[in-house]
């Protein structure tokens, strides 16, 4: 296993992806994962930590490198664009949470891992990216559905309480 400049660039990419995640975790301290599918939770976590590890350490490839200059250009520009989309999505999500924004934030890191894995010909990283993508999309969707269900129940309870108050005032 040999380290080179790509190892450093990949570490910077991972750090840039983690900064918004930490910021949101601090802002939404009460957030909890409500996905009840253990297999998908494990899939998400194994994919995430595997991808982070293989982004930085060239296990299985000897040394990070590109077969052609075009691969480097794809790697470089795709990562710049995807990181920009990811950071803008996080900033937007901090203002207003929507399902579309959550899905973008779930998919973009997996795509970054996938682009890096394909362009670097690091197929263990590609595998981890796919596993992470599947798990992360599922867990994000499950959490969104659970939140939506809770909001509907809270609204129904509030309406019921309002109706009871109106009935009591009429009597």
């Amino acid at each position: 296993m040999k380290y080179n400049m790509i190892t450093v660039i990949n570490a910077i990419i991972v750090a840039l992806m983690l900064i918004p995640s930490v910021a949101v975790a601090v802002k939404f301290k009460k957030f909890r994962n409500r996905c009840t599918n253990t297999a998908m939770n494990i899939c998400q976590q194994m994919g995430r930590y595997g991808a982070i590890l293989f982004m930085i350490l060239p296990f299985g490839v000897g040394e990070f490198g590109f077969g052609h200059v075009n691969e480097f250009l794809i790697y470089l520009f795709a990562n710049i664009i995807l990181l920009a989309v990811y950071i803008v999505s996080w900033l937007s999500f901090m203002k207003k949470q929507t399902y579309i924004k959550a899905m973008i934030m779930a998919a973009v890191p997996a795509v970054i891992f996938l682009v890096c894995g394909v362009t670097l010909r690091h197929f263990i990283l590609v595998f981890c990216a796919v596993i992470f993508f599947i798990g992360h999309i599922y867990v994000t969707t499950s959490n969104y559905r659970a939140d939506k269900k809770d909001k509907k129940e809270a609204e129904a309870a509030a309406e019921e309480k309002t109706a009871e108050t109106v009935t009591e005032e009429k009597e």
Side-chain angles (χ1 to χ4, degrees):
M1 178 169 62
K2 295 180 182 177
Y3 298 98
N4 59 24
M5 194 61 191
I6 298 167
T7 306
V8 174
I9 293 170
N10 283 352
I12 291 168
I13 291 169
V14 168
L16 289 172
M17 284 192 299
L18 290 175
I19 290 169
S21 296
V22 170
V24 169
V26 168
K27 181 175 179 175
F28 301 107
K29 292 177 185 173
K30 293 183 180 182
F31 173 80
R32 62 183 175 90
N33 181 7
R34 299 178 47 203
C35 177
T36 57
N37 187 322
T38 304
M40 283 299 170
N41 282 320
I42 291 170
C43 184
Q44 176 192 19
Q45 295 305 322
M46 286 179 56
R48 170 183 287 135
Y49 294 121
I52 289 171
L53 178 71
F54 292 116
M55 277 284 286
I56 299 169
L57 302 174
F59 291 126
V61 293
E63 180 179 15
F64 286 131
F66 302 100
H68 193 273
V69 71
N70 290 342
E71 291 172 349
F72 172 71
L73 293 174
I74 291 168
Y75 166 87
L76 182 67
F77 291 115
N79 279 312
I80 289 170
I81 291 166
L82 289 167
L83 281 170
V85 167
Y86 186 64
I87 291 169
V88 168
S89 297
W90 272 115
L91 291 172
S92 178
F93 186 80
M94 297 272 275
K95 293 178 183 174
K96 183 177 181 191
Q97 298 79 41
T98 67
Y99 179 70
I100 297 297
K101 292 174 189 176
M103 284 295 105
I104 291 170
M105 293 181 311
V108 170
V111 174
I112 290 172
F113 294 142
L114 191 61
V115 166
C116 290
V118 169
T119 57
L120 292 169
R121 294 187 177 101
H122 193 326
F123 298 106
I124 300 170
L125 177 55
V126 170
F127 175 77
C128 289
V130 170
I131 295 298
F132 174 59
F133 181 81
I134 293 166
H136 202 40
I137 293 295
Y138 184 91
V139 169
T140 301
T141 301
S142 294
N143 283 321
Y144 178 80
R145 286 181 180 155
D147 288 344
K148 191 173 180 179
K149 181 181 174 187
D150 286 353
K151 284 179 185 176
K152 282 185 179 181
E153 289 173 358
E155 288 172 3
E159 287 177 16
E160 186 178 308
K161 188 171 184 172
T162 303
E164 288 174 4
T165 304
V166 170
T167 305
E168 288 175 2
E169 288 176 359
K170 287 182 179 180
E171 294 175 355

